[in-house]
Every structure is written in structure tokens, then in C-alpha cells.
Amino acid sequence: AAASAAAASAAATTAAAASKSDADDCPGRVPFHGLLTCQGSVYQQWQARIMYHHWKKASAAGGKCTDMAAFTRLCATAGGRPDGLEGEIPTLFTVELSAQVLASHFHFGVLNRPNSVKQLMESTTLLAEIRKTSDYVLILETDHVIMRPIPNLATPEKPAAFVFGYMFPQPSQQWVVEKYWPGGSYKSVQPVGPSPLLIHLDQLRRVYQKWLDFSLGLRSNSEAERVIQGWVQEMWGYSIASASIGLRHQVFRDFQVEPGALSSAAQLDGFPLRYWIFHYTYQFEYYLDGTPCQPWTIGEFSLDKRHFSAEPPPYPLPDPPPGANKAAFFLVGAFNEAMRALGTAWPRRQPAPGSSEPPLQSVYGRRRLDWFGRHANGFATELRTMPLIKRLVGSEWACEDGSSLQLGGNGDARWRSGRSGRWGSMNNPDLGGACPVGACIYVDVSGSHNVAVNGSSLTVMRLFYRTASATPEVVARCHRSGGGA
């Protein structure tokens, strides 16, 4: 696998060789190599393509003497086989962890990151590709957008890292630290992770094995889960490993920004030029009037990478609602710019205006997820705040096919032979006049349906995004039992 990976990454070496030859023309320059750790899944492939576009843009903006010398995607796949993106993005392939190993660690795919770094550091073939550029690497993630040229912030002895607000060690975590670092103290563990991380390869060589070992141990330790959340356990594996060998980091609070709809004014002060990296781990959830949603809420406008786990987002994404914060507009713009630059190579594009094809779902219509409807921020909040839902709750409707549709007070719905499902608001601009914003609900019984509300009548349509035509298919017309509005 290593030999084939080296062949597939030939594109990485051209820029690498040029970077070292420029040294005499750029006094004081200390180049580094961007190292994007990822897997070959659809979810991480589309993010990697967006990420690489913005790496190239920032590197070009840095000019001839930029420290951003070269870039490699370090990609874990089954058997280390190419995934098809190596022609677009310089790539080295590693062998991903087996399904059996991941199953014994709660299917935590992030463990492939330290495992891939281990393979890199132990392969003279793979490591030689990186060293052609520099002895420094910047470890990156697929959900990073580079916002401006990044200087080399590290030294041979001291890596540079971001301060994570949720990674400050506490006394309750001391026993976990000692389990993996006997005699160690939580007070010596820095609130950092392995990405973004600018580090000399000599220091990475010292830490990679313990990073992997500690991460595997933490992720299989159900007791540790009580004091360290599972989704950051690999980060803790790195931070404890670093502390255990005396590796101290220079930390930068503005290395990256992790904004969302509820970002404070202080976080967005000076945005975007204040930061080097935009990490889109948090969601941008808004109502259509621009009001930000509270945590654990899916917005009427919902920009969340997790919606696109199975397929990439379609180009173009619509702008956030007026009143959304500047980080939301920046991220939509960054996505659209990268997708536009890839042209027809981007696999999903919205049909042209006036097309007979229906639009592809992107940021609207996500609130119908069952778990959300049952959450306190779901139907219960709609009933309290939305006049349309208040008017419809508890109503019963006689349909032309002889069936009865019941809209229950807790978001439960019954229709057609008493089959049960859910209902709630559906303010979705994609639906246009067929189901207008403010007069549209969803009823997911015996399939998914959008329902236009017109006084005492309902028009039930098959889910818009799954039809073959832009003209909604009407499946039922109903009238309120007993009349009334």
C-alpha cells in the first residue's frame, strides 16, 4: 500500500521541491507541509475538496515566500487503496483500522487519525514525500476552512496548537490521566488537541505511539466516559501523551474559530481576519426571520455538515436569512466558492431556474426528523410559539378518499386506517407557492408529505424532494371535520 500511495502522490512533490529551492530568496522563511488527516468516506471526501480549495487560495495569497509550502491528504482507506480523489488532491494512503477494531472502540472512526500518523512516521517511503518540503507539518481536519495565510508558528522544540475551551483538565479527571501516565498530573495536561497542530517531525516522532495507544485505551474505557466525553477522547489521548513526554505547546486562542448561530459578539470581533482557520464543527440554526435557535434545535435554515453524511451539499447553497451572523454568511460563501471552482466536477448541482426538475434538499426542511419533533425544542416549542400550529392542534380532517387525518396535541398524527406518525411546521422556501411559508406543515404518516393549509382545507402532497418533477404530486385533499377555520 505504501508503494502505491507514493506513486499516487507524485503531484505533491513538485511544489515540495520548489519550496526548498526558494529558501535563498525568502530569508527567515520556515516552510511547513499541510497534512490533512481523513478517511475515504463520501462525508470526508466532499469536505476535503472544499478544504483543499481554500488551502490553495490562502497559500497563493501568501505569495512566493509563504510558509504554506505543500499539501498532502493522509487518507485511511480499506487496504490503503486509492479512493479516486488522488488526481485532484495530493494524497498518501494508509490502511484504515479494521471493522473489528473499530467495533471494539464504539465505532470511533477518528482513531484512524493517530493510526495513519503512525503509518506515516514508520514508513520511509511515505515520510520521504513529506520531508521533500519541510520538517514541519500542520495537521488539519476536513472541516477546516483556511481563512488567510498561516505562518509557521512552531519551533523545533515547541509545537503550536489551538486552545480548546472544552479541553481544560479538571481534578475529576486526575485518575484518567494517571491510568495512562502513572505519576502524572492533570495540571500538566494542556487544553490542546492534535489538530490544528503545527509540529516538527522530530517531536511528532516522540509522541505518535503514545497518542495512538492512549486514544485506543480511552475509547474502550467506559469508566473514562463518565468524565471525558467520547467525541474528544482521541484529543485527550494526544494531550495526555504530550504531557507524559514533557512536550509543551505554544498555544494560540485565535489559531482557529469555532462559531455557530449563537456565537458571541466577542468571538466574532475582528472576524474573519482575526483567525487563520474556520472549524465548522457547530451548526448554524436559524428561523427564517434570522432569529438564532437555542441548542438542540434544528432551524428552518439549518447549515450543518452532518446533514450531508451520505452525499455532498448541492451547489449553490442559499444565503442565510437576513440577521444571521457574519460567520454564517462566510461559511456559505466559502462552500459556494469552492463548489463553483470545481465546476462540473462537483457531483450535485441545483437545477436551473424554471427547470422541470425539483430542487435538491440543502439547508431547508430539516425539522421533520423524528427525534427533534419529540424534543422539548421541537413540537412543544412550535405549539407555544407558532399561530398555525396552535390553530391546527387537536383538529380532525375528512379526506376525499374517505380517510380521516388527526393532528394530535403532542405532534402525533393518525391517518389512513389509523396509521400513526408525526406532524409539525414546515416553513421551507424551496416549496414555493405550492406550500407557502407560514401556511405549510408536514405530515409523515405512510410516507413523508408536505401539507398546504388554506383555511378549512388541506392539500396533502408527496415529499417534494423525492419526486421526479418540480410539480408536487397531490395525494389527498381534506376538509376540517365540523367546518370552522
Side-chain angles (χ1 to χ4, degrees), residues 3 20 66 74-75 82 95 169 171 184-185 197 227 253 256 274 353 364 391-393 421 428 448 468 478-479:
K20 287 201 169 182
T66 180
L74 187 66
C75 183
V95 179
S185 169
L197 173 71
V227 293
R253 293 185 180 276
Q256 71 175 6
R274 172 179 160 190
Y364 301 126
R391 181 161 63 88
L392 296 178
V393 71
N428 181 347
S448 299
C478 311
H479 296 275

Side-chain angles (χ1 to χ4, degrees), residues 46-108:
W46 70 256
Q47 293 178 50
R49 300 178 81 182
I50 289 174
M51 194 274 168
Y52 185 49
H53 169 85
H54 289 283
W55 168 277
K56 292 187 294 182
K57 178 182 177 182
S59 179
K64 177 182 177 181
C65 294
T66 180
D67 288 345
M68 300 171 65
F71 183 94
T72 294
R73 186 178 63 125
L74 187 66
C75 183
T77 62
R81 293 186 290 273
D83 68 342
L85 281 188
E86 62 276 4
E88 178 182 323
I89 307 175
T91 301
L92 297 174
F93 292 99
T94 60
V95 179
E96 68 183 9
L97 293 167
S98 70
Q100 292 78 9
V101 169
L102 288 180
S104 66
H105 294 83
F106 306 101
H107 303 280
F108 194 50

